[in-house]
Amino acid sequence: MEEKLSAIHDINDPFFLACQKDERKTVQKLVKKWLKQYEKEQQLRQQFQNMCKYERALKEKGFRMLAGIDEVGRGCLAGPVVAACVILPDEFYLPGLTDSKKISKQKREEFFQYIMDLAVDVGIGFVSAKEIDELNIYNATKKAMLLAIDQLKQAKPDHLLIDALELPINIPQLSIIKGDEKSITIAASSCVAKVVRDRYMEELGKQFPEYGFERHVGYGTKQHLEAIEKHGVTEHHRKSFAPVQDALNFFNG
C-alpha cells in the first residue's frame, strides 16, 4: 500500500480518497505521511513558479535565450572566483532549486547533474587568486562572469539575468539583488558555479593537505586561519586580502 501511495501525486486520486476513509491506524499513518510529502511538494512547486517570474516577463517581451549568471568564492581567502552562465530550456522544472548555499552538498551534486544534462548551454569562468590581487575582487568577479558568457558554445544569449552586478557588455541585462533566491536561471548558475568551484578546491586540498581546502573551500574559517599562521601562504591565497596580507607581513617581517 505504501508503494502504491508513493506513486500518487494527485490529492483527488480515487485510491488516496479511499485510503482517507480507511479507519485502520496503519493506513491513517500512511495517509498522514503522504499529505506531509504532498504539502512539501506543493510548496516547492509554488517556490519554483515564483522564481520564474522574471523569466516569464522577459519571454513575454520576446526574449528567448535567457542566460543566468552568478559567481561563488568572492569572499574567500584562497582559490579562484568562479562564475557560471546557464541557459535553460523552456520546459525546465527543478523544484527545490534556489541559492546554492542553502542546498546540501548531496542535493547540489544531484541538481548540478540535472542542470548540466538539460541546459541549452553552460559556460564557466575562472579568475585566479593572482588575478584577483591584480584586478581587485569586484573587477575579478566581473571578468569571471564575462569569461563565462564567452564560454557558451551552443547558444547566444539575448538577455542576461545577473546576481547583483551589471556587466560592460552589449547584451540587454537585468541585475537582481539576491538573484539566486529570486530567479531560477540565476539559481541554476549559482548551483553550477558552486559545484565546479568546490570540486576545484577539493583537488587543491589533495595538493595542500595541511590547509584543509576540501573542507572550508578557501573561506576564512578558524582552521584555515590557523593553517595560514602555521604554514604561511600558498600561490592560491589572495595576498591582497587582509588576513593573508597580515600573515605575509609576519613571515616576511
Side-chain angles (χ1 to χ4, degrees):
M1 179 177 284
E2 184 173 5
E3 187 177 341
K4 191 171 180 180
L5 265 177
S6 65
I8 294 172
H9 299 283
D10 182 1
I11 200 166
N12 295 312
D13 185 279
F15 180 72
F16 176 70
L17 294 175
C19 287
Q20 281 187 303
K21 295 176 182 178
D22 193 317
E23 295 180 357
R24 287 175 293 177
K25 287 185 178 179
T26 53
V27 177
Q28 286 305 305
K29 187 176 180 180
L30 290 174
V31 166
K32 188 176 181 180
K33 180 181 177 182
W34 187 92
L35 283 169
K36 186 176 180 180
Q37 181 61 32
Y38 177 79
E39 184 180 344
K40 182 181 178 181
E41 288 176 359
Q42 291 302 107
Q43 288 173 347
L44 290 176
R45 180 182 293 272
Q46 187 58 55
Q47 179 193 50
F48 182 88
Q49 292 302 323
N50 291 342
M51 290 179 67
C52 289
K53 64 181 180 180
Y54 291 105
E55 287 80 357
R56 282 195 300 270
L58 288 169
K59 286 180 180 180
E60 285 173 5
K61 293 180 179 179
F63 296 104
R64 284 293 168 263
M65 289 294 165
L66 308 180
I69 305 173
D70 200 5
E71 54 71 34
V72 293
R74 196 169 173 177
C76 294
L77 302 182
V81 61
V82 177
C85 179
V86 178
I87 300 177
L88 299 174
D90 290 340
E91 67 275 12
F92 183 83
Y93 180 65
L94 185 55
L97 179 60
T98 185
D99 174 6
S100 62
K101 296 185 292 297
K102 296 183 177 181
I103 305 172
S104 69
K105 179 179 172 59
Q106 180 182 344
K107 187 64 72 173
R108 275 199 307 269
E109 291 282 349
E110 292 173 11
F111 284 2
F112 171 83
Q113 195 56 57
Y114 186 82
I115 293 164
M116 296 300 289
D117 287 345
L118 267 71
V120 174
D121 207 350
V122 175
I124 306 293
F126 274 79
V127 174
S128 69
K130 183 175 183 293
E131 289 178 281
I132 290 169
D133 289 335
E134 292 169 355
L135 297 171
N136 76 45
I137 188 60
Y138 180 72
N139 289 323
T141 299
K142 286 191 171 186
K143 180 177 180 179
M145 289 180 168
L146 291 169
L147 286 170
I149 298 169
D150 192 53
Q151 286 299 307
L152 295 172
K153 303 300 181 187
Q154 307 300 323
K156 185 176 180 180
D158 57 9
H159 203 292
L160 309 177
L161 294 121
I162 312 169
D163 187 32
L165 284 176
E166 292 182 11
L167 297 177
I169 190 171
N170 192 28
I171 302 174
Q173 58 190 276
L174 180 63
S175 175
I176 306 171
I177 303 298
K178 293 188 176 180
D180 47 10
E181 298 177 15
K182 299 174 182 177
S183 159
I184 205 68
T185 317
I186 295 177
S189 65
S190 170
C191 182
V192 169
K194 175 70 173 162
V195 171
V196 168
R197 188 179 187 279
D198 283 0
R199 289 178 178 178
Y200 178 90
M201 296 306 291
E202 285 167 11
E203 289 302 311
L204 214 56
K206 295 174 184 177
Q207 297 177 43
F208 301 90
E210 64 272 26
Y211 289 90
F213 288 131
E214 71 282 2
R215 291 189 290 277
H216 54 67
V217 297
Y219 284 96
T221 63
K222 182 182 178 183
Q223 178 206 7
H224 190 188
L225 292 171
E226 287 175 350
I228 292 173
E229 186 177 335
K230 184 177 181 181
H231 303 288
V233 302
T234 70
E235 63 186 290
H236 301 284
H237 281 96
R238 303 174 186 179
K239 298 172 178 62
S240 58
F241 281 41
V244 181
Q245 206 169 58
D246 291 344
L248 276 171
N249 291 337
F250 173 79
F251 280 97
N252 294 333

